[in-house]
Amino acid sequence: MFKVSGDQILSRSWASLVADRSTSLAVELVHRGAQVVVVGGTALWLRGGSRWPRDLDLAVTEPEVPGLVSALAQIGVHIRAATLCRCRDVALTSAWGPLDVFVKETLPPSGVVKVDRCTLVVAHD
Amino acid sequence: MTERTGLGPLELAVLRSVSATAGRSGARCRTTATLDHLEAVEGIGPAYGLSVLQDLGSSWRVHLQLLDLEGNWGSIAGDPMAGPQYTEVMLSPVGELVLACEEHRVGSVPIGLVDGGLYRGGKQPPLDPARALRTIAALLEDETTPDGDLERMIGLPSLPTGGTVQGDIQDLYAGRDARLLQSCRITREITPSLNALVITGTPLGVPTEQIEPNLRDRAEAEKMMEQRQLGNDPSHGMSPEWLDWLDALPSPIGLRDVRDETSGRTGTRLVIVADPGADLETLEGWVRGVWPVTIETSCRFPGGIGSVLRAWASICRVDRSGLDQLAALIS
């Protein structure tokens, strides 16, 4: 058997994949029907920030929780809508990394950012 | 943390309870007896105590195990433990050394320096035990050793799970908050019949059983993304038939299969089989982008690594018997 040690990654390509994964997660959820606003570090990153986000923060209104729950289930993240609505702020993990979901009465002021043919609603602050 | 070992009150209470119930002559005792003692004497409930017992005795949690655990205490895969009435515990030789040190019968032992606090949600990453002891020994020989030399001697943080560490190492060793990326150790196995990446080490705190399903979820998402780009958007809903059709499509990233072959005999072993002719470097980059193959951790050495090492050298200079005994145990 011929083995090659490949555990020293010299290229930065995988580092950029890590940096972009919260954005990719937002895109996946929106493509699957979630209606959410990207907030927090990912919002800053999408608006040109220099520090890549540790996780994805999403704000959602209660009527849109079932759509988010359905989208999450499609990517292997399982939580009940009733649980999200009761807890209001929940930390989850996915194959794209951690995400925090905030169930809000009203959503923050936001604009639109296009990523990979997907329109993301991104908070201004 | 105590100055003599760097351990906290919870760890020491657990060690005292194990010592009181199992003794120090190589005997084990049923875990329930230790937990009962921990609650009655130290005031720490069994639910808290059990997780600390597991941490202090598991090679996938800490480099220097202070306990010797018998029975099913879980695994790196994230398997559930057996009930405490079905397991046993005793002090390990390092655990006995720690209690001897805390009782001032031997000199200081830098357990807290080596094992860090990352395994319990803290910020200080673990270090390679042999390098840590050699670096302290070098400082005992020459206390003027510059910080740069100390950093080279100590090397990168070392994970007991075999994963790799990259990131703001300069900030970390300067005593500032540092963002580190822990990633899997990945090798390549290429034979006439197999083109594969093999994961043999993981980030600290990541159950290996999380990795395979997440790789599959991401691989499926890549196929869906490709179909969306081709105009095959399943906005009508994803029927089982559509999902079967998607599953049969070739992977756009060259991923053919993922097999978790982790076992007590082989250790961590996840085999990522690539399509023949797939570019393994590109695939490896993609794999590393999947969570939790790579995770981000916020770490810190308060005061900087030089300051931390010098503090330990200063303590050990008074009596190096503990340091010497620890070195003998880990050699």
Side-chain angles (χ1 to χ4, degrees):
Chain A
M1 189 184 298
F2 177 55
K3 286 191 183 185
V4 174
S5 174
D7 62 356
Q8 286 297 317
I9 298 301
L10 302 177
S11 74
R12 290 189 57 81
S13 59
W14 71 269
S16 68
L17 284 172
V18 171
D20 288 335
R21 58 188 183 191
S22 64
T23 303
S24 300
L25 175 56
V27 168
E28 285 296 327
L29 293 172
V30 168
H31 270 307
R32 293 163 198 263
Q35 295 195 39
V36 294
V37 175
V38 177
V39 299
T42 306
L44 283 171
W45 174 253
L46 286 167
R47 295 206 173 280
S50 59
R51 211 167 150 76
W52 84 63
R54 298 170 193 274
D55 59 14
L56 175 64
D57 296 325
L58 296 176
V60 63
T61 56
E62 210 165 305
E64 299 302 336
V65 164
L68 175 59
V69 165
S70 169
L72 286 168
Q74 292 172 42
I75 62 164
V77 181
H78 300 282
I79 185 165
R80 292 169 56 236
T83 303
L84 258 185
C85 292
R86 182 177 68 247
C87 296
R88 311 306 285 186
D89 302 338
V90 173
L92 302 167
T93 56
S94 75
W96 286 258
L99 72 150
D100 294 318
V101 178
F102 304 100
V103 181
K104 298 289 192 189
E105 296 288 331
T106 56
L107 295 174
S110 55
V112 160
V113 175
K114 278 238 181 241
V115 179
D116 287 346
R117 300 190 207 178
C118 174
T119 301
L120 293 180
V121 181
V122 178
H124 286 311
D125 294 315
Chain B
M1 311 301 166
T2 78
E3 202 176 62
R4 298 188 64 76
T5 60
L7 292 173
L10 185 53
E11 287 86 2
L12 292 174
V14 165
L15 290 178
R16 286 193 296 265
S17 293
V18 174
S19 175
T21 49
R24 298 189 191 184
S25 56
R28 297 178 194 281
C29 82
R30 202 154 295 278
T31 305
T32 41
T34 299
L35 293 174
D36 287 345
H37 184 278
L38 191 59
E39 182 169 34
V41 175
E42 304 279 358
I44 294 166
Y48 298 157
L50 194 57
S51 64
V52 178
L53 285 168
Q54 185 192 39
D55 279 349
L56 298 184
S58 298
S59 61
W60 65 90
R61 301 294 287 157
V62 294
H63 284 300
L64 300 173
Q65 290 104 64
L66 308 185
L67 300 175
D68 201 332
L69 306 176
E70 181 72 17
N72 175 16
W73 280 87
S75 71
I76 194 169
D79 297 325
M81 290 188 278
Q85 65 272 38
Y86 304 116
T87 59
E88 293 179 333
V89 60
M90 63 186 268
L91 289 176
S92 71
V94 178
E96 296 205 20
L97 180 62
V98 163
L99 284 184
C101 171
E102 289 290 340
E103 291 163 7
H104 294 252
R105 290 185 282 118
V106 295
S108 295
V109 281
I111 308 295
L113 172 70
V114 172
D115 285 339
L118 206 59
Y119 71 93
R120 56 172 189 251
K123 287 195 156 192
Q124 188 167 321
L127 300 170
D128 178 86
R131 293 183 85 142
L133 297 189
R134 276 201 302 271
T135 308
I136 294 175
L139 268 172
L140 291 176
E141 294 294 316
D142 179 5
E143 60 189 7
T144 66
T145 305
D147 280 3
D149 289 356
L150 295 177
E151 289 170 21
R152 271 187 293 280
M153 279 188 259
I154 203 80
L156 290 174
S158 168
L159 306 178
T161 47
T164 63
V165 176
Q166 292 193 21
D168 301 334
I169 303 296
Q170 205 168 355
D171 280 346
L172 175 70
Y173 285 165
R176 294 186 286 270
D177 276 333
R179 295 175 76 173
L180 300 185
L181 292 179
Q182 297 184 55
S183 191
C184 287
R185 187 167 300 276
I186 300 177
T187 55
R188 301 176 188 184
E189 290 185 6
I190 303 167
T191 69
S193 59
L194 184 71
N195 198 27
L197 301 173
V198 181
I199 291 175
T200 55
T202 54
L204 187 58
V206 168
T208 58
E209 67 175 12
Q210 263 190 323
I211 296 175
E212 182 197 341
N214 281 19
L215 285 171
R216 290 187 187 281
D217 284 344
R218 287 288 301 267
E220 184 182 285
E222 294 289 342
K223 288 186 185 180
M224 291 194 66
M225 176 69 78
E226 186 182 54
Q227 292 307 309
R228 278 196 289 266
Q229 287 168 351
L230 292 172
N232 298 329
D233 194 340
S235 56
H236 55 276
M238 289 185 291
S239 66
E241 293 76 21
W242 193 88
L243 287 172
D244 286 342
W245 171 79
L246 186 76
D247 198 47
L249 289 176
S251 163
I253 47 157
L255 174 65
R256 169 166 285 191
D257 193 18
V258 184
R259 300 195 300 255
D260 188 347
E261 298 179 355
T262 300
S263 72
R265 187 175 57 83
T266 65
T268 298
R269 181 176 167 85
L270 287 107
V271 181
I272 300 157
V273 183
D275 285 328
D279 179 359
L280 284 185
E281 183 158 344
T282 302
L283 179 61
E284 184 172 344
W286 179 88
V287 165
R288 288 194 187 275
V290 176
W291 192 93
V293 175
T294 303
I295 65 171
E296 183 177 323
T297 318
S298 182
C299 293
R300 193 156 179 260
F301 275 109
I305 187 68
S307 164
V308 169
L309 288 166
R310 286 177 209 290
W312 277 107
S314 171
I315 295 164
C316 293
R317 183 166 285 112
V318 174
D319 176 359
R320 57 179 296 172
S321 61
L323 202 64
D324 292 339
Q325 288 190 40
L326 183 61
L329 284 173
I330 68 170
S331 63

